[in-house]
């Protein structure tokens, strides 16, 4: 085994005081996600190293591409930290590559190493020129850039680089409760929240028979996409039928959406307390629909003191769609099944709702009782980590 996957943490390195916690969380997440592979993972203060079997490399890369907290990674050759060994290995590696121009970039973290970078680069550069024909050095725009990391005991040589998805490792923050509908926005909101290290549980409101099982399956399938970035997501399904019917019987039609969303927030708060979630996360985007004007958001938000995080609040729809495509939720989201908002949506929902009006209409029904019932009858599906790694490719 002379190659490893060398992982760089990037953003984590700005977290000075918490660094060990972040690195250990990433390490545990990696270990967990790669538990079905024949790998050995080790770490030091700034790097992680994964020993792998060649035949599993592509699948392992696909898993790594779904792990937050990784900034860059490389498939690196490993060699003893010894200048002669490095020289030999370097030629062996470059003989397999096709290039006309190259440069050598050395990083020396082993400060006890006999040579410094100003000495190593020309030394290795001229060694390459001597041993490989028809090539030259180009420090500005080389065909390949050969990176060499000199570390205690082992050094690493690589000519490739893959971008990780960045962010913070999941579990470095507390839990958040994601309002997950079948739309485009909420899966993206969930992804962006997880990217900040938040572990999520998802909540879907359905109104059977006004909404279909196809709509529910769509949300389950979206959750399966999101779970690829973490280990498991509990998807709580709330039976919202009675509440929704009560709203439509007892409210001015223009206020139905506002009151419906206030009920959703109340239930979210109850579920968050039950499952130890500290924030509500949703896919609201400012101005997108009537219930997402600042006035609407304000009136809706009055039912809870819990922070509501809206990761896509300030993004354009096209920006949200780009992310949805990149996380592979878009094609599921655009399937045509109705969710409980669209079924009852009035022609002209109020754009500037008034809190007093909501409160007046809400007094007409014992919503507390209906909310209790809805919370107590939640049905939870545990959506587990993707087991078929080839699906990730
Ligand atoms: P679209 O992507 O078409 O805008 P959406 O799911 O964002 O669909 P909105 O009506 O804009 O639908 O709802 C705003 C947010 O409220 C959603 O992003 C989601 O977080 C939450 N939400 C709406 N309906 C539901 C539902 N049935 N279950 C759970 N959350 C919901
Ligand atoms: Mg939306």
């Amino acid at each position: 085994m002379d190659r490893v996957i060398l992982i760089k943490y990037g953003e984590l390195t700005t977290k000075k005081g918490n660094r060990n916690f972040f690195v250990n969380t990433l390490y545990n997440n990696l270990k967990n996600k790669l538990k079905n592979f024949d790998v050995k993972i080790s770490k030091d203060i700034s790097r992680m190293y994964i020993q792998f079997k060649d035949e599993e490399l592509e699948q392992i890369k696909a898993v790594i591409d779904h792990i937050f907290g990784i900034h860059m990674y490389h498939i690196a050759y490993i060699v003893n930290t010894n200048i002669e060994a490095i020289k030999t290995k370097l030629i062996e590696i470059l003989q397999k590559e096709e290039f006309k121009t190259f440069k050598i970039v050395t990083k020396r973290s082993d400060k006890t190493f006999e040579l410094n970078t100003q000495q190593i680069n020309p030394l290795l550069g001229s060694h390459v020129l001597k041993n490989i024909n028809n090539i030259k050095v180009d420090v500005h725009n080389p065909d390949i850039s050969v990176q060499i990391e000199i570390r205690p005991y082992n050094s690493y040589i690589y000519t490739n680089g893959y971008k990780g998805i960045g962010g913070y490792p999941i579990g470095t923050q507390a839990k958040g409760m994601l309002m997950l509908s079948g739309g485009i926005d909420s899966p993206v909101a969930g992804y962006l929240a997880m990217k900040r290290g938040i572990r999520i549980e998802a909540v879907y409101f359905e109104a059977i028979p006004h909404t279909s099982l196809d709509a529910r399956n769509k949300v389950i399938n979206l959750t399966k996409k999101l779970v690829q970035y973490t280990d498991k997501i509990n998807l709580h399904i709330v039976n919202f039928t009675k509440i929704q019917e009560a709203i439509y019987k007892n409210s001015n039609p223009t206020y139905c959406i506002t009151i419906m969303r206030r009920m959703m927030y109340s239930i979210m708060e109850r579920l968050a307390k039950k499952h130890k979630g500290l924030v509500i996360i949703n896919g609201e985007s400012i101005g997108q629909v009537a219930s997402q004007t600042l006035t609407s958001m304000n009136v809706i938000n009055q039912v809870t003191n819990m922070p509501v995080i809206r990761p896509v609040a300030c993004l354009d729809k096209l920006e949200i769609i780009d992310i949805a495509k990149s996380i592979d939720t878009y094609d599921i989201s655009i399937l045509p099944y109705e969710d409980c908002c669209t079924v009852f949506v009035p022609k002209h929902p109020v754009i500037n709702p008034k809190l007093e009006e909501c409160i007046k209409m809400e007094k007409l029904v014992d919503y507390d009782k209906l909310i209790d019932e809805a919370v107590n009858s939640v049905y939870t599906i545990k959506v587990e980590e993707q087991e078929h790694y080839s699906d990730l490719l």
Side-chain angles (χ1 to χ4, degrees):
M1 175 59 61
D2 70 342
R3 292 194 303 171
V4 290
I5 301 171
L6 181 150
I7 288 175
K8 296 178 178 168
Y9 317 143
E11 210 180 340
L12 304 191
T13 54
T14 57
K15 300 265 141 205
K16 285 217 168 58
N18 284 338
R19 195 180 162 111
N20 279 343
F21 170 61
F22 276 70
V23 170
N24 288 337
T25 306
L26 176 61
Y27 177 76
N28 289 332
N29 291 353
L30 255 177
K31 232 168 114 172
N32 183 37
K33 294 291 277 185
L34 295 175
K35 62 176 183 283
N36 294 328
F37 292 96
D38 190 0
V39 293
K40 224 166 121 191
I41 309 173
S42 53
K43 62 175 162 46
D44 62 33
I45 193 76
S46 58
R47 300 280 186 263
M48 258 171 232
Y49 310 91
I50 306 175
Q51 290 178 26
F52 60 92
K53 288 266 178 315
D54 281 351
E55 60 273 22
E56 291 184 335
L57 178 60
E58 285 313 310
Q59 289 189 357
I60 293 171
K61 274 167 68 186
V63 174
I64 291 176
D65 288 338
H66 290 80
I67 296 181
F68 293 116
I70 294 174
H71 169 67
M72 265 312 265
Y73 64 95
H74 308 272
I75 315 300
Y77 288 87
I78 182 165
V79 58
N80 282 336
T81 296
N82 161 312
I83 194 69
E84 287 312 315
I86 292 172
K87 278 159 92 177
T88 311
K89 191 79 193 169
L90 184 59
I91 300 304
E92 198 185 306
I93 295 166
L94 292 185
Q95 270 164 349
K96 289 186 218 148
E97 304 263 0
E98 268 195 33
F99 62 100
K100 289 258 173 296
T101 56
F102 75 104
K103 80 168 170 184
I104 292 195
V105 184
T106 309
K107 191 170 155 36
R108 187 181 63 127
S109 347
D110 176 7
K111 299 295 176 209
T112 65
F113 191 66
E114 57 206 292
L115 304 163
N116 66 31
T117 47
Q118 279 81 17
Q119 295 167 316
I120 302 169
N121 286 341
L123 182 90
L124 293 179
S126 56
H127 182 66
V128 172
L129 289 170
K130 250 184 258 159
N131 285 278
I132 300 178
N133 295 330
N134 299 325
I135 53 165
K136 52 181 197 225
V137 173
D138 179 349
V139 289
H140 299 296
N141 194 17
D143 293 341
I144 58 172
S145 168
V146 186
Q147 321 246 1
I148 302 175
E149 297 196 9
I150 312 266
R151 295 185 165 264
Y153 310 112
N154 286 326
S155 295
Y156 302 87
I157 307 177
Y158 49 87
T159 55
N160 54 47
Y162 304 90
K163 224 168 149 350
I165 51 172
Y168 296 139
I170 290 200
T172 51
Q173 290 291 336
K175 196 190 285 169
M177 304 299 284
L178 171 68
M179 299 171 71
L180 184 60
S181 64
I184 295 168
D185 305 325
S186 49
V188 172
Y191 167 81
L192 292 174
M194 287 196 288
K195 189 170 182 180
R196 300 270 58 85
I198 301 175
R199 185 175 288 291
I200 59 168
E201 299 207 11
V203 180
Y204 168 58
F205 295 84
E206 68 178 6
I208 285 175
H210 312 294
T211 61
S212 63
L213 282 177
D214 285 334
R216 179 198 285 188
N217 276 332
K218 187 174 159 182
V219 175
I220 294 172
N221 286 332
L222 288 170
T223 312
K224 284 184 182 164
K225 289 289 176 191
L226 292 180
V227 87
Q228 293 176 3
Y229 296 91
T230 179
D231 51 356
K232 67 168 192 308
I233 297 177
N234 287 336
L235 170 62
H236 305 287
I237 298 179
V238 179
N239 181 344
F240 206 49
T241 312
K242 273 194 190 165
I243 295 178
Q244 201 146 31
E245 288 174 352
I247 295 171
Y248 280 84
K249 263 187 226 132
N250 299 284
S251 324
N252 177 329
T254 59
Y255 268 73
C256 282
I257 295 272
T258 316
I259 294 175
M260 185 185 82
R261 297 194 64 77
R262 283 165 58 85
M263 296 303 148
M264 283 185 177
Y265 272 42
S266 298
I267 292 173
M268 288 306 293
E269 185 186 78
R270 293 275 302 270
L271 291 175
K273 292 210 165 116
K274 195 165 166 181
H275 298 285
K276 302 194 169 56
L278 295 190
V279 292
I280 296 168
I281 301 154
N282 69 34
E284 289 172 346
S285 183
I286 298 165
Q288 198 181 81
V289 289
S291 62
Q292 292 167 26
T293 62
L294 291 189
T295 327
S296 279
M297 281 187 187
N298 193 282
V299 170
I300 292 164
N301 217 150
Q302 303 269 342
V303 294
T304 178
N305 290 323
M306 190 166 270
V308 179
I309 294 181
R310 303 171 175 88
V312 303
C314 299
L315 299 188
D316 290 342
K317 193 77 190 188
L318 287 178
E319 292 171 318
I320 301 173
I321 288 175
D322 279 349
I323 302 174
K325 286 183 175 163
S326 77
I327 61 172
D328 209 21
T329 54
Y330 182 74
D331 289 342
I332 302 174
S333 291
I334 57 173
L335 295 172
Y337 313 117
E338 305 284 296
D339 81 1
C340 67
C341 291
T342 35
V343 172
F344 289 97
V345 77
K347 278 214 178 67
H348 300 292
V350 61
I351 288 172
N352 291 310
K354 301 217 165 22
L355 182 60
E356 315 78 68
E357 289 297 316
C358 294
I359 293 173
K360 235 195 268 169
M361 291 178 217
E362 288 168 10
K363 286 215 171 102
L364 301 174
V365 177
D366 187 356
Y367 283 112
D368 284 345
K369 184 167 157 265
L370 294 180
I371 288 173
D372 270 349
E373 259 179 47
V375 169
N376 292 331
S377 64
V378 161
Y379 166 66
T380 301
I381 301 175
K382 280 191 184 16
V383 180
E384 298 278 344
E385 171 186 9
Q386 174 69 258
E387 294 288 346
H388 304 288
Y389 298 99
S390 49
D391 292 355
L392 294 175
L393 289 173

